[in-house]
Amino acid sequence: MLQLKVIRDDKNRIVNGLRKRGWSVQQTKVINSILETDDRRRSTQKELDDLLAENKILSKQIGQLMGQGKTGEAEALKTRVAGIKEQAKQLEDQFAEVKKQLDDLLYSVPNCPHKSVPKGKTPDDNKIAKAWDKPFPSLPPDALPHWELAKKYNLFDFELGVKLTGAGFPVYRGKGAKLQRALIQFFLDEAIKAGFEEVIPPLLVNEDTARGTGQLPDKEAQMYTCERDNLYLIPTAEVPVTNILRDEILPEKSLPVKMTAYTPCFRREAGAWGAHVRGLNRVHQFDKIEIVQVEHPDRSYQTLQQMVRHVGKLLQKLELPYRILLLCGGDMGFASAKTFDFEVWSAAQQRWLEVSSVSNFETFQSNRMQLRFRDAEGKIQLAHTLNGSALALARVVAALLENNQTPEGIRIPKALHRYTGFKVIV
RNA sequence: GGAGGAGUGCCAGAGUGGUUGAAUGGAGCGGUCUUGAAAACCGCCGUACUCGUAAGGGUACCGGGGGUUCGAAUCCCUCCUCCUCCGCCA
């Protein structure tokens, strides 16, 4: 969530940022409510603190009087304290209520977009940061979409997934399964080469963790829950991995912290289904390699570019046509300050598929998580958090299969040969 | 799942109702000494919110939440976690 201090000191910037996300002037009034609520919170706290301070002093006096055996005087003080306690109790309730109001308001406000983020409401307003300037693969007229190819070559099976679980849970098999494993291994190796430490986090997380990265309360409906145990299935490795550093104060020299993780991701995608989401385009469970960085605020945008380059290199090695979008304010995720999306060209479907999203969250997540570092002067500051998919498998597989289909079978890009052990799927 | 024990600052570890935000030791930082280093000695060394231009105050926090009390790290309830033993098990 946004820092109160920033809202207070830099209100106009925040309001303008929300406007960039497509908020109406009316909607941005919430910022005023936040400031008013915070004023109430502060005055209530002051009142309460003063009262508690008085209580404390009197209590000490009672202790001394008791020690001296002056029970009468002590009793007199006790009655005075009783009144203060009554008052304090009321103020405490009041304070808790104001605090909750304030938190609810703060949780309802998304991150403020970076100044370089274009204004806009829908994907149409996104800017193309890097277009594909080479020819697209030309496919034979009888080219098949990946869900047909999957049947033809027995690579994965949606019907079987329905039997076992439900729609959107594919079963990969044979070379399809091997291809999954090859991609996972390839992406992890590339990340490790780029200096990321591999971690294998839990796939189920608790409430605090889900709140830390902003899944709660904003995106609750997106997650599968285990209500009995009050746990959530992770929608992305970002959630457990970033939270590894929750409530930490890092030495400045340990920045940047670079971590990578392969995990399956679980997404309910409630209400998101339609004709355009066939096959692997959208599924409830998919595999993804995530890269996460915790960085010094001065360097985070440099680091964002670095991560973008890393993802670009992966797609080049996979020989996939891709483009990079700079998301507009309205299309960005709730917690993000700046996001680049990667899309690969799916030749048989004749459309772009999103395969990666690389974002800088600045202090939005670290503020919730209390993820901080001690700077050169010994002062404690919130760190910046960043993450990106490098990469999400399902759609990469879709594009890979479609773009590389030939009459002789599906050609596997060279970079993967050592991982798959085969060069073509026949 | 059953029985017992324990959770205190960066770490180790005192503290069982009164001036304790917390002894002591270690680590770390600064200094004295030294050609340099080590040793020795001296000093500093929690976080959040809040009042204040500042100096400097106030409040909260000893696993989480709640309670008893004028007063709780210390007593009670509850949850979580860890350890030991038993059971079960990939």
Side-chain angles (χ1 to χ4, degrees):
Chain A
M1 63 185 140
L2 292 173
Q3 298 171 76
L4 260 173
K5 197 161 68 73
V6 172
I7 297 178
R8 230 183 283 138
D9 298 345
D10 223 351
K11 185 181 151 192
N12 288 336
R13 202 191 98 224
I14 301 294
V15 168
N16 289 336
L18 292 175
R19 296 281 291 140
K20 242 191 212 179
R21 281 183 177 265
W23 281 37
S24 67
V25 174
Q26 188 58 34
Q27 282 174 302
T28 63
K29 294 263 165 68
V30 69
I31 295 298
N32 291 327
S33 312
I34 286 175
L35 291 177
E36 284 159 22
T37 310
D38 186 44
D39 285 344
R40 269 198 293 143
R41 183 199 115 248
R42 279 196 281 177
S43 61
T44 311
Q45 180 174 349
K46 180 86 178 76
E47 222 179 314
L48 177 61
D49 284 357
D50 289 347
L51 213 54
L52 289 175
E54 199 184 339
N55 190 12
K56 216 172 175 178
I57 291 165
L58 290 176
S59 292
K60 277 181 190 170
Q61 286 176 4
I62 291 173
Q64 283 166 349
L65 289 171
M66 298 286 266
Q68 293 160 15
K70 300 178 181 167
T71 43
E73 287 174 52
E75 286 304 321
L77 273 186
K78 277 192 196 180
T79 40
R80 249 181 84 191
V81 170
I84 293 174
K85 267 197 80 178
E86 188 61 32
Q87 230 181 319
K89 182 83 190 129
Q90 276 178 25
L91 271 173
E92 254 167 43
D93 293 346
Q94 211 177 315
F95 180 75
E97 203 190 308
V98 176
K99 185 78 172 55
K100 182 169 187 317
Q101 279 173 19
L102 182 62
D103 285 345
D104 287 349
L105 286 172
L106 281 171
Y107 277 131
S108 73
V109 179
N111 202 355
C112 180
H114 186 257
K115 59 178 185 295
S116 60
V117 170
K119 189 180 166 125
K121 281 191 180 180
T122 68
D124 299 332
D125 300 316
N126 294 337
K127 283 221 175 92
I128 295 176
K130 184 173 186 297
W132 182 249
D133 49 11
K134 301 181 192 83
F136 289 111
S138 59
L139 297 184
D142 59 344
L144 298 171
H146 67 272
W147 53 89
E148 298 292 346
L149 291 168
K151 278 187 189 149
K152 184 170 167 186
Y153 294 101
N154 192 31
L155 300 175
F156 48 87
D157 189 331
F158 276 94
E159 284 74 22
L160 196 50
V162 170
K163 172 180 169 182
L164 300 178
T165 307
F169 290 90
V171 176
Y172 300 89
R173 53 198 319 173
K175 287 204 164 74
K178 189 78 187 282
L179 179 59
Q180 288 288 116
R181 208 145 48 77
L183 283 163
I184 291 166
Q185 192 80 339
F186 168 65
F187 291 143
L188 274 176
D189 283 354
E190 292 294 313
I192 291 164
K193 261 193 259 168
F196 291 87
E197 182 197 1
E198 183 183 355
V199 295
I200 301 180
L203 306 182
L204 289 157
V205 295
N206 61 29
E207 231 176 288
D208 286 342
T209 300
R211 189 175 304 107
T213 31
Q215 272 63 38
L216 288 180
D218 325 312
K219 289 187 263 184
E220 182 150 28
Q222 175 70 292
M223 288 189 292
Y224 286 98
T225 57
C226 303
E227 271 173 45
R228 222 173 128 171
D229 299 292
N230 205 16
L231 297 173
Y232 301 84
L233 273 86
I234 57 170
T236 156
E238 161 198 349
V239 178
V241 173
T242 313
N243 272 280
I244 286 174
L245 295 169
R246 188 176 76 221
D247 288 320
E248 295 282 339
I249 300 173
L250 305 164
E252 180 171 341
K253 61 176 181 289
S254 73
L255 299 178
V257 179
K258 302 172 77 173
M259 291 183 286
T260 184
Y262 151 68
T263 68
C265 302
F266 304 93
R267 298 191 182 179
R268 295 185 61 238
E269 304 287 1
W273 301 92
H276 60 292
V277 292
R278 287 195 65 179
L280 292 174
N281 293 350
R282 176 161 282 147
V283 282
H284 286 306
Q285 179 182 330
F286 62 93
D287 295 301
K288 179 158 66 62
I289 285 74
E290 185 79 358
I291 50 177
V292 171
Q293 296 216 44
V294 177
E295 182 56 291
H296 193 289
D298 293 348
R299 288 192 304 261
S300 68
Y301 279 95
Q302 231 169 290
T303 299
L304 182 67
Q305 289 305 327
Q306 238 175 55
M307 288 168 76
V308 165
R309 277 197 298 277
H310 177 78
V311 173
K313 253 178 29 202
L314 295 179
L315 291 170
Q316 285 157 28
K317 287 189 182 176
L318 291 179
E319 302 163 35
L320 289 170
Y322 70 97
R323 63 179 189 180
I324 305 175
L325 302 177
L326 170 58
L327 296 195
C328 72
D331 200 31
M332 269 192 331
F334 190 85
S336 176
K338 184 169 182 175
T339 297
F340 290 101
D341 269 9
F342 280 74
E343 296 184 331
V344 297
W345 180 249
S346 162
Q349 298 180 73
Q350 289 285 302
R351 53 188 289 244
W352 294 100
L353 297 177
E354 182 192 334
V355 292
S356 177
S357 197
V358 184
S359 304
N360 187 352
F361 301 91
E362 298 188 358
T363 61
F364 195 84
Q365 294 182 328
S366 59
N367 187 34
R368 284 193 185 189
M369 271 190 279
Q370 289 298 292
L371 195 182
R372 295 158 294 168
F373 70 97
R374 202 179 293 277
D375 67 20
E377 285 95 65
K379 270 179 57 187
I380 290 168
Q381 296 188 43
L382 292 171
H384 282 193
T385 62
L386 304 94
N387 69 51
S389 349
L391 281 164
L393 287 220
R395 293 174 189 161
V396 166
V397 169
L400 218 52
L401 298 180
E402 291 179 13
N403 294 6
N404 295 320
Q405 54 186 308
T406 70
E408 293 78 41
I410 299 170
R411 197 178 56 77
I412 300 297
K414 213 160 133 205
L416 290 178
H417 289 176
R418 48 183 287 239
Y419 293 102
T420 53
F422 50 83
K423 297 178 179 178
V424 63
I425 296 172
V426 289

